[in-house]
Amino acid sequence: MVSFKILGSASEAVGETELEIEVNENKPIREILPGEPLKDELYIVLVNGESADLDTPVSGEAKVVILPWTSGG
Amino acid sequence: MKLRLLRVDLSARNSEVEELDQSVIEKYVGGRGLSSKLIWDEVEKGTDPLGPGNKLVMAGGPLTGLPVPSSGKMVMAAKSPHTMGYGDGNIGTQASVQLRKTGHDAVLFEGISEDPVWVHVDDDEVVFKDASDLWGKDTYQKEDMLYEKAGKNIGAVMIGPAGENLVKYATIMSERGRAGGRTGMGAVMGSKKLAAVSFNGTQTPYMEDEQRLRDMAGDAYQEISDSEDYNFWMRQGTMLAVQLCNTNSTLPVRNFSEGIFEDAERVDGKAMESMKEGKKGCPNCNMQCGNMIMDAEDEEIELDYENVAMLGPNLGIGNLRQVGVLNKLCDQYGLDTISGGSSVAFAMEAAQKGLIEEDIEFGDYEGAKQLLEDISLRRGIGDQLAEGTKRTAKQWGNESEGWAMQIKNLEISAYNCYSLPGMALAFGTSPIGGHHKDSWVIAWELENDRSSYSDGKIEEILNQQRKRGGAFESFTTCRLPWIEVGFNLDWYEKMFEAATGISQTWDDFDQLGDRIYALVRSIFAREYGKNWSNAMDVPPDRWFDEELTEGEHAGASLDRERFMDMLKRYYDRRGWTDQGVPSSETLKELGLDFVIPELEENFDL
Ligand code: SF4
């Protein structure tokens, strides 16, 4: 299962904060996610802790984190 | 436009107004820029920060209190009793707005009052009021008494018992939860016996082109509320950072020993939303970020990320309502939540390791309450901890300095950097000590080769330090609209021109940031003299010599050699020497020639 953690305003667009989706063959993240399409410039995407983007293909046990640009407390 | 500086002599109990001409605004703008110039000029090397020679500045800037988004801030600055260098902090309060309505842009307090005093500025009139009944009261009580005596229209700042007791990291407080000056500005007020300052004004602050500014304001506020990030920001504000940091192993947990917390979900933004009672924030702001919940004592408390992380996970406490009580205690005592949290965590670890006999451990809510009170009232080990973690470590020994989580004595705010070399450098080079406000590069680092010590990270740090630590601190407006909701920076050039009649671009504002950084660094270098070295910019040993043991980033730690190399490259980009002191060439370029002779007494520039 590919797991998604979706933080901040991204979770409002997707409609979920955590998701697990079965993806057997590599597919770009933006094609897997439900909800409103995410705008590239607004979010940081990490796959298995490494920097990626919404076009990065994922499958299997990948861990995806999507978070908004932010500047701390 | 001229800046009007109100000089208040607390020893002689008199005041006068000094007009600073436009060249001062062009070069220093206001807020931090103006304050750093005043501290350089007027606080001599070696001055006792808690003696009559120190000067306390409360400075707005040309945008403060105007129809400009998030412009309810002012800067409070002095020689810091905690870092022994330049110290400041900003605070969002009606006092900033009222200060400018009195027809003044900044106030400078000098001398020491013999008895507790409350200074009330009513337009042109400065009244020295007896504050013997305020002294000893907490900040909530003090504020209620001020409102009762002077009416609710005033804007007021005050200290609590921590400031009166000269706790090194006592803050200045306002409006039950607004805090500023964690570099011990509350202790400076306490040393001057200055219990409170209030403002009540009837004038309109200077605006070169008021109509243009008002026309722009509508669109500017609209741009903020139309932002795609706005809705979520209004839901959680800075509290999103709990989840962000926990997900990325950067939360401070149990005195920064780990980066993930087993109870993070009980203290994160989502947990807060489930308890939320309302919102609170600074004047002139339409993206209010304070979130109100009921604490474990059934009283309202305003939460934001730093407070929650330092008084929750960093103490091993995973109950948000209990964290709320600890936050409230700090606010009432006028104690900085970050340094307070770090000092309690330091004591908890010291007890765990057998360095002290006190019965306190991580997760001990009642113990934390007691210790915050003991620090504020300087009782028992609280008296030692009131000096900060580094000074306490020197007394407690056993290499505890390595896990006294501070830089330049100032306790590091709530980001754990074992796996973030860039943020560690941002903390190291923060102008006031271990603070995140000027440069927060974690998001940038996550996206750009997190573990690297790259030049790109240095550039991002410089960019944020210039804008957030230079321009915004001097305008004075909040730093948050820019990145949090993508508020366009072009607005500031236009608003600055309409407010002042002075045309400046972001190139000018960036140079202002460089000038302020060089001047603040010069104050530190002058103070420390031969004792200054690049070691002052290096984070504690814990991040280098220990490693995370839990989570995805288990095994991560900073590499000392690579960090030192990155620090040197940072100095090179700033035009500073290998020891982190601005070179004479840099000082001349920035129009700071006047600091060279004093620095040359100790440094080869
Ligand atoms: S965003 Fe928050 S800190 Fe900034 S001005 Fe608004 S309420 Fe104050």
Side-chain angles (χ1 to χ4, degrees), chain A residues 5 7-9 11-12 17-18 39 42-46 49 51 63 65 67-73, chain B residues 228-229 231-232 235 238 240 243-244 248 270 306 415 436 440 443-444 446-447 468 479-480 483-484 552:
Chain A
K5 260 199 179 172
L7 277 62
S9 54
S11 67
E12 293 192 320
T17 53
E18 299 211 8
K39 289 191 183 161
L42 292 181
Y43 303 108
I44 294 163
V45 181
L46 306 172
S51 171
K63 288 192 169 72
V65 178
L67 47 124
W69 280 99
T70 176
S71 67
Chain B
E228 302 202 31
D229 290 315
N231 190 39
F232 195 84
R235 281 172 50 193
T238 60
L240 168 66
Q243 195 190 12
L244 189 149
N248 292 292
K270 212 166 153 194
E306 302 299 327
Y415 306 98
H436 62 287
W440 192 93
W444 200 93
L446 293 178
E447 182 157 280
R468 290 165 48 127
R479 68 191 183 276
L480 292 170
I483 294 177
E484 302 305 332
E552 272 178 32

Side-chain angles (χ1 to χ4, degrees), chain A residues 73, chain B residues 69-73 90-93 178 233 237-238 279-290 302 304 477-481 484:
Chain B
S70 310
S71 63
K73 297 266 189 186
N90 77 42
I91 185 167
T93 159
R178 320 265 83 212
W233 175 262
T238 60
K279 291 191 72 67
K280 198 172 158 186
C282 314
N284 296 5
C285 181
N286 67 334
M287 45 182 286
Q288 306 251 312
C289 65
E302 176 185 345
D304 64 38
T477 58
C478 179
R479 68 191 183 276
L480 292 170
E484 302 305 332

Side-chain angles (χ1 to χ4, degrees), chain B residues 352-366:
Chain B
Q352 190 183 48
K353 290 185 161 143
L355 270 59
I356 54 172
E357 283 171 7
E358 271 66 17
D359 184 20
I360 184 163
E361 58 185 359
F362 287 112
D364 180 358
Y365 162 64
E366 290 297 337

